[in-house]
Amino acid sequence: MTMTRPARRRPRPAGLLALCLAVTALLLGLAPASSAADPGWWNPTARPAPDSAINVTGEPFKGTDAQGRVRGFVDAHDHLMSNEGFGGRLICGKPFSEQGVADALKDCPEHYPDGTLAVFDYITNGGDGRHDPDGWPTFKDWPAHDSLTHQQNYYAWVERAWRGGQRVLVNDLVTNGVICSVYFFKDRGCDEMTAIRLEAKKTYDMQAYVDSMFGGPGKGWFRIVTSSEQARQVIEQGKLAVVLGVETSEPFGCKQVLDVSQCSKEDIDRGLDELYGLGVRSMFLCHKFDNALCGVRFDQGALGTAINVGQFLSTGTFWQTERCTGPQHDNPIGLAPAAAAEKQLPAGVAVPAYAADAQCNTRGLTELGEYAVRGMTKRKMMLEVDHMSVKAAGRAFDILEAESYPGVISSHSWMDLEWTERLYRLGGFAAQYMNGSEAFSAEAKRTDALRDKYGVGYGYGTDMNGVGGWPGPRGADTANPVRYPFRSTDGGSVIDRQTTGQRTWDLNTDGASHYGLVPDWIEDIRITGGQGVVDDLFKGAESYLGTWGASEKHKAGVNLAAGAPASASSAEWNPFTSYAPGRAVDGNTGTRWASNWSDDQWLRIDLGAPTPVGRVTLDWERAYAKSYRIELSTDGTNWQTAWSTTTGDGGLDTAVFTATPARYVRVHATQRGTQWGYSLNEVGVHGR
């Protein structure tokens, strides 16, 4: 094909002037200003007035990098709508209002005139709770990094974070029925699922609110997504992909009372189906209180004592502890007094004392909890493990490994770090709580080698409006402050101090007071922790979508052992039931093979013909093997060891190894973990 080169024209003076200005701007490192006639797709044409400023100039980056990967930061844990939970008056203010910023950013009515009745504020933050309740336009006392009861997620502040480079936001729909019931002020009921439904609706309403500023449905930057591909398309357009999650204590009504479950498998299926229909794609199965699905990872200090009181009020039992069996452990239970909470206990009932060397919750993943985990995998949803007890998280990992299911998330530093490689090996995603920049950077570097090993990015969990506390100021006199204005990580935007109404925030002196200061906090990380930490965070969007996409594409592997002929070195005799070898491959976890009570025993499975074998799962009954190996053979005579361990601890084991052709698979146990023999509920054999 022949191409004709157009004739060259002499540039007009105006064109030369524009060219010179553009070159000058590039040399000076300044962002080109948009004309009033062409504000740019990223600026709304109908923003309410008055409203918060964004204080970011420059076009948000679009598209992918040279390798086709999306870029951007991930907030894996935020609570946009928590003001709608807990009875509606625990978190004061709204993320948006059709009546404008003055209506959205105002305090709870009981906080006027001086915060004397800000009960939850002083329960969680100490002091007397007194503060200037006025939000817009003065914002004298809130939002602040240490105020846990005031709105931090105003939509324009989230917009600023997006403009600063964030591309994924997980909005965890959150509430707690017990906190709602005991809190003095509320304007609605305390049913958790009712609150979750409302928060989901309000998130869609916020999307429509933002769309209205940009010309109609689908035009705004705030996009709720229900698939990884949809999220990828949104990010490639330069917009923010919003994922719905759930963090609540009694999902589907699955509480327990005196250790008796208040829900069924049918409730779980109905609940998961409903949440999926609302657009929810990730969730916690337990949070703060033990429930019918799993035990929780404890809280510490006075807050831990208060939550333990709530545990009793909800379930009729306090947390119970035991010595941990491995290196992982739960948080120490708070032993500090929480007088306001303890007054809620019945007469004669007191929070128990706990042994210092017993730091693990006795409660793990229940049978219903296992059913819920498997139900989530069937629906391609991602499991949040942060609030699970060590015992529950360990069993959840066992199940996910047995299925080779990658959809596991640690979103805000509540998972024991000992699980990190296990999470990455599965294909999961990890984020750290929004700690101060120095602490965040130090923690990020602790796991940097693992991210390099698995080629993954990193995330943060702001947990804003989640009653957790946020980074305080490092001080105006620090040797290395954030210097305003600064450039965004991608280099395309210039970010100045954020102003709302009459208040201008500076991270150096105010700390991370609201969501709009996330870009400032990331700049502080770059200054204190180095570009490498920020680079890992900027890879977060691609890694999060990688976990999500792999979960969606996951297919349950064919169990080659199902119904296959099986033989064994021995089988325990019982006149009332059979423990024959075939019981370990009959697809029924209620039956089992059991050997004689001696060390050297084996179970052999005949697959019928040579086929690649790369993964074997073993569901042990209480009588497990401490030392055993997986052996493969093509002829039933000559065996090779494919995998072995000397540290077996029972439960559900998954042996993964290089796929090797074999007709026969043998579980060869050489050392018992108990006084009995070896007993397997079910053995699975898979090609990968």
Side-chain angles (χ1 to χ4, degrees), residues 134 216 264 285 375 424 479 491 505 515 574:
D134 289 339
S264 65
L285 291 181
Y424 283 145
W505 280 272
Y515 208 90
N574 187 298

Side-chain angles (χ1 to χ4, degrees), residues 292-316:
L293 306 177
C294 50
V296 294
R297 191 166 166 83
F298 309 129
D299 279 83
Q300 305 178 61
L303 180 60
T305 301
I307 292 174
N308 202 5
V309 169
Q311 155 97 8
F312 180 86
L313 296 175
S314 174
T315 70

Side-chain angles (χ1 to χ4, degrees), residues 377-498:
T377 64
K378 289 177 183 177
R379 293 165 178 81
K380 315 301 184 187
M381 298 171 75
M382 293 177 285
L383 175 68
E384 294 264 13
V385 295
D386 271 9
H387 282 288
M388 283 184 170
S389 67
V390 161
K391 205 170 186 178
R395 181 65 177 179
F397 273 115
D398 288 344
I399 293 170
L400 298 177
E401 287 166 346
E403 298 291 336
S404 289
Y405 188 77
V408 57
I409 305 288
S410 172
S411 62
H412 64 332
S413 299
W414 270 71
M415 179 187 75
D416 191 297
L417 276 178
E418 293 285 341
W419 298 127
T420 305
E421 182 158 19
R422 202 172 178 186
L423 177 143
Y424 283 145
R425 190 185 301 121
L426 266 171
F429 181 80
Q432 185 189 156
Y433 189 84
M434 189 184 183
N435 295 304
S437 59
E438 293 169 316
F440 186 96
S441 299
E443 187 60 46
K445 290 173 182 178
R446 282 183 62 188
T447 52
D448 184 61
L450 282 176
R451 289 193 297 279
D452 286 344
K453 178 178 178 179
Y454 290 95
V456 295
Y458 201 37
Y460 49 81
T462 62
D463 202 12
M464 287 206 172
N465 287 358
V467 197
W470 297 273
R474 290 200 294 122
D477 58 350
T478 184
N480 54 346
V482 171
R483 301 187 185 279
Y484 295 91
F486 59 89
R487 280 202 170 272
S488 59
T489 299
D490 65 291
S493 296
V494 175
I495 302 170
D496 209 340
R497 291 175 180 84
Q498 198 283 318

Side-chain angles (χ1 to χ4, degrees), residues 288-632:
K288 299 304 181 185
F289 304 150
D290 295 341
N291 62 22
L293 306 177
C294 50
V296 294
R297 191 166 166 83
F298 309 129
D299 279 83
Q300 305 178 61
L303 180 60
T305 301
I307 292 174
N308 202 5
V309 169
Q311 155 97 8
F312 180 86
L313 296 175
S314 174
T315 70
T317 59
F318 290 104
W319 289 327
Q320 298 178 40
T321 64
E322 63 186 8
R323 289 185 178 180
C324 304
T325 58
Q328 299 84 12
H329 57 81
D330 294 320
N331 296 321
I333 293 181
L335 300 178
E342 291 176 87
K343 287 179 181 177
Q344 303 294 323
L345 291 171
V349 176
V351 177
Y354 295 95
D357 62 347
Q359 205 171 317
C360 279
N361 194 335
T362 59
R363 195 171 184 85
L365 196 64
T366 68
E367 181 181 348
L368 285 174
E370 293 196 17
Y371 185 82
V373 169
R374 298 182 192 279
M376 290 181 67
T377 64
K378 289 177 183 177
R379 293 165 178 81
K380 315 301 184 187
M381 298 171 75
M382 293 177 285
L383 175 68
E384 294 264 13
V385 295
D386 271 9
H387 282 288
M388 283 184 170
S389 67
V390 161
K391 205 170 186 178
R395 181 65 177 179
F397 273 115
D398 288 344
I399 293 170
L400 298 177
E401 287 166 346
E403 298 291 336
S404 289
Y405 188 77
V408 57
I409 305 288
S410 172
S411 62
H412 64 332
S413 299
W414 270 71
M415 179 187 75
D416 191 297
L417 276 178
E418 293 285 341
W419 298 127
T420 305
E421 182 158 19
R422 202 172 178 186
L423 177 143
Y424 283 145
R425 190 185 301 121
L426 266 171
F429 181 80
Q432 185 189 156
Y433 189 84
M434 189 184 183
N435 295 304
S437 59
E438 293 169 316
F440 186 96
S441 299
E443 187 60 46
K445 290 173 182 178
R446 282 183 62 188
T447 52
D448 184 61
L450 282 176
R451 289 193 297 279
D452 286 344
K453 178 178 178 179
Y454 290 95
V456 295
Y458 201 37
Y460 49 81
T462 62
D463 202 12
M464 287 206 172
N465 287 358
V467 197
W470 297 273
R474 290 200 294 122
D477 58 350
T478 184
N480 54 346
V482 171
R483 301 187 185 279
Y484 295 91
F486 59 89
R487 280 202 170 272
S488 59
T489 299
D490 65 291
S493 296
V494 175
I495 302 170
D496 209 340
R497 291 175 180 84
Q498 198 283 318
T499 297
T500 303
Q502 299 169 15
R503 176 78 185 271
T504 296
W505 280 272
D506 183 320
L507 188 82
N508 301 301
T509 54
D510 297 311
S513 299
H514 62 67
Y515 208 90
L517 296 173
V518 167
D520 313 50
W521 172 72
I522 291 173
E523 172 68 3
D524 207 30
I525 288 173
R526 185 191 67 78
I527 292 167
T528 60
Q531 187 64 41
V533 179
V534 176
D535 288 345
D536 272 5
L537 289 172
F538 205 58
K539 297 173 186 174
E542 180 62 39
S543 287
Y544 183 88
L545 296 191
T547 294
W548 190 3
S551 303
E552 292 169 320
K553 295 172 185 174
H554 178 266
K555 295 181 179 178
V558 175
N559 181 7
L560 304 172
S567 57
S569 55
S570 66
E572 182 182 341
W573 181 85
N574 187 298
F576 304 106
T577 189
S578 170
Y579 296 125
R583 296 293 185 128
V585 291
D586 63 0
N588 181 358
T589 57
T591 64
R592 59 189 174 96
W593 163 69
S595 76
N596 289 342
W597 295 10
S598 59
D599 277 340
D600 199 351
Q601 303 285 342
W602 51 262
L603 173 74
R604 185 176 75 170
I605 302 166
D606 182 357
L607 304 180
T611 187
V613 175
R615 178 165 56 96
V616 174
T617 60
L618 302 101
D619 187 0
W620 295 99
E621 194 254 354
R622 287 178 299 169
Y624 67 94
K626 182 177 181 181
S627 179
Y628 68 95
R629 56 185 182 264
I630 305 298
E631 300 173 332
L632 306 178

Side-chain angles (χ1 to χ4, degrees), residues 261-278:
S261 169
Q262 304 299 299
C263 70
S264 65
K265 291 180 178 179
E266 291 74 22
D267 293 323
I268 292 169
D269 281 328
R270 278 194 297 271
L272 287 174
D273 286 342
E274 179 185 8
L275 290 178
Y276 191 91
L278 291 173

Side-chain angles (χ1 to χ4, degrees), residues 32-56:
S34 300
S35 68
D38 180 21
W41 64 269
W42 56 94
N43 286 315
T45 57
R47 189 187 298 279
D51 202 1
S52 172
I54 305 301
N55 305 106
V56 179

